[in-house]
Amino acid sequence: MTESKTNQTLLDVQNLKVRFHTPEGIIHAVNGVSLQVQDGETVAIVGESGCGKTVTMMSILGLIPIPPGEISAGSAIFNGKDLLKIRESELEAIRGRQIGLIFQDPMTSLNPVLTLQKQLTEAIVKHYQVNSAEAARRAVKLMELVGISDPAKRLRDYPHQFSGGMRQRAMIAMMLALNPSLLIADEPTTALDVTIQAQIVELVKRMKAEFGMAIIWITHDLGVVAGLAERVIVMYAGIIVEEAPVDELYQNTQHPYTRALLAALPRADRRRDNPEDTRLKSIPGAPPNLLVNIKGCPFAPRCDFAFDRCLQEQPPLEEVAPNHKSACWFDVNTGEPR
C-alpha cells in the first residue's frame, strides 16, 4: 500500500564526528556532518572512496566496530529517538524493521548455506508473527514484485545460484518484506554491469513509488543519481561540501569539487570536433591524509580556485542559493572570494 509523503523530517543527523583509533594514529573519518532526510524523499550521498559517506550511515546504525571506532560527537534523531543514545536492543529492533540496508555485494549479506526462502521467511515470521505457510506466500509475492521469474522455484535456490543482479533483487525483496520507512542503499549497483545497474535503479524507483519509503543512496557516481535522487549531498574528506536539489546541483554547481566530479563524467553531448571537449578531465592530486586534523579546506591542495584563506580556515556549509548549500570561500559564479 502506497504511503503519502508528509514532508516531515524522518532522520536528522547533527554534527556527527567519527574517529578510528589505529596503530598509525587517529583517523578523522567523519568531521561534523549534519543532514536531514524527509519522509518519502530520495537523497543521494556522493563522493569518492574514503570520503566518509558509508561510515556516516553505518555509525548511526551502530554498525561500526567500537573499538577501534568511536563516535566522538553528534546526534541522529530517527522517529523521535537518538540512534546514538538508545540501547543496542532498541537499535536491533529498528534495523531492518524501520531502516532497511542494501549493500554493494549482496553475498556479504545473504547467508550462503541457506536458501532464499529460509532467509526471507525468517524475517517475515520474526517481525509479523505469521505462520510459515503465510510467510512463504508473502515471500513468493515479494520475489515476483522485484522481477524474479518463477519465484516459487527460485526461492528454493541458494545465493550462489543467482546472478549478481538477481541477488540484489533478492536483497531488495528482503528489505520490502519488513516495509521500512527508510532504505539505505550503499553503492548497490557498483559491482553490476551498466544494463543491470539501470534495471536495479528503475526497480528501486518503482518500489519507492509503491511503498512510499525514503531512500538514502550512497554512490561515487554522480551520473547514477541524476534520474533517481531528489536531493544530492556531496562529501569530501569527512565533511559535506555541497548540498542541493538534483537539478540545481547539475545546473548551478557551486563547489569546485562537485564541478570537478561532473567534469570527469563521460557525456554524450561533448563536441567530437574539439579534442579538449571530448577528453575526460581528472582531478589532480590525491585525497588528504585523514590521520591529520586538517586546518583549512580539505580540497584546497587540489582546487584551481584556492587562495590563502582556504589553507587557513575551513569554510562552513552555508546557503548560497535557495535550498542550495556550499562550503567554499570562493564564488565560482563571480570569480571572486565570498
Side-chain angles (χ1 to χ4, degrees):
M1 183 168 144
T2 304
E3 300 174 3
S4 60
K5 185 174 177 179
T6 62
N7 289 323
Q8 294 181 346
T9 300
L10 183 65
L11 175 67
D12 184 4
V13 178
Q14 293 295 324
N15 193 37
L16 180 66
K17 295 182 180 180
V18 183
R19 309 286 182 255
F20 287 94
H21 298 266
T22 72
E24 292 76 24
I26 298 175
I27 298 174
H28 300 79
V30 179
N31 301 303
V33 164
S34 297
L35 61 89
Q36 292 185 331
V37 179
Q38 306 303 314
D39 191 24
E41 180 185 30
T42 300
V43 177
I45 302 180
V46 181
E48 58 196 278
S49 297
C51 73
K53 53 190 187 297
T54 296
V55 172
T56 296
M57 292 298 108
M58 295 303 101
S59 298
I60 66 176
L61 291 177
L63 294 177
I64 64 167
I66 299 177
E70 176 197 4
I71 300 174
S72 60
S75 62
I77 309 300
F78 176 78
N79 280 343
K81 294 182 178 180
D82 189 345
L83 301 179
L84 305 184
K85 302 291 193 299
I86 61 177
R87 296 189 302 271
E88 176 61 24
S89 58
E90 292 181 85
L91 202 51
E92 285 181 359
I94 290 173
R95 288 196 297 255
R97 181 64 184 90
Q98 297 181 50
I99 302 178
L101 290 166
I102 302 176
F103 294 103
Q104 179 174 330
D105 181 6
M107 282 300 281
T108 63
S109 305
L110 296 170
N111 192 321
V113 299
L114 297 179
T115 64
L116 262 294
Q117 178 164 329
K118 175 65 175 175
Q119 298 182 64
L120 191 50
T121 56
E122 185 177 55
I124 296 171
V125 169
K126 178 181 178 181
H127 288 279
Y128 291 105
Q129 287 80 50
V130 298
N131 60 39
S132 57
E134 174 60 24
R137 283 193 290 270
R138 293 192 186 189
V140 169
K141 290 180 180 178
L142 287 166
M143 293 281 275
E144 187 176 22
L145 188 66
V146 299
I148 295 178
S149 58
D150 199 2
K153 178 178 180 297
R154 296 310 306 269
L155 273 171
R156 297 194 294 270
D157 290 340
Y158 292 86
H160 73 270
Q161 295 174 277
F162 288 75
S163 67
M166 287 296 106
R167 283 196 293 266
Q168 208 56 289
R169 289 174 184 270
M171 275 301 304
I172 293 171
M174 291 182 71
M175 292 304 102
L176 294 177
L178 306 179
N179 194 20
S181 54
L182 174 63
L183 176 66
I184 299 174
D186 187 5
E187 306 216 33
T189 62
T190 298
L192 308 175
D193 65 57
V194 177
T195 303
I196 305 301
Q197 278 187 24
Q199 292 176 6
I200 296 298
V201 169
E202 287 304 313
L203 172 61
V204 170
K205 289 168 65 177
R206 182 161 55 86
M207 294 302 98
K208 179 200 169 182
E210 182 157 345
F211 288 85
M213 66 188 119
I215 297 172
I216 298 176
W217 188 280
I218 301 171
T219 182
H220 64 275
D221 187 355
L222 271 170
V224 170
V225 304
L228 174 68
E230 295 157 11
R231 189 159 51 89
V232 182
I233 293 171
V234 181
M235 289 188 66
Y236 184 81
I239 66 170
I240 294 174
V241 297
E242 188 162 10
E243 178 182 345
V246 62
D247 291 339
E248 168 74 7
L249 187 89
Y250 281 82
Q251 295 169 11
N252 186 28
T253 312
Q254 292 293 311
H255 198 278
Y257 176 60
T258 313
R259 287 166 66 104
L261 285 180
L262 289 171
L265 285 176
R267 294 178 50 150
D269 60 351
R270 295 188 189 274
R271 290 178 51 194
R272 295 183 179 274
D273 60 343
N274 184 352
E276 288 300 318
D277 195 38
T278 56
R279 186 178 294 115
L280 292 179
K281 296 176 175 63
S282 61
I283 305 175
N289 182 2
L290 294 181
L291 287 167
V292 179
N293 196 1
I294 301 165
K295 184 178 181 182
C297 173
F299 189 62
R302 308 173 73 184
C303 181
D304 293 335
F305 304 101
F307 58 103
D308 290 346
R309 189 180 188 185
C310 303
L311 301 171
Q312 300 299 323
E313 188 179 351
Q314 182 174 309
L317 185 68
E318 294 184 330
E319 192 166 82
V320 294
N323 301 315
H324 192 157
K325 297 178 181 179
S326 177
C328 186
W329 294 124
F330 193 83
D331 190 328
V332 294
N333 290 332
T334 64
E336 298 289 339
R338 294 189 189 279

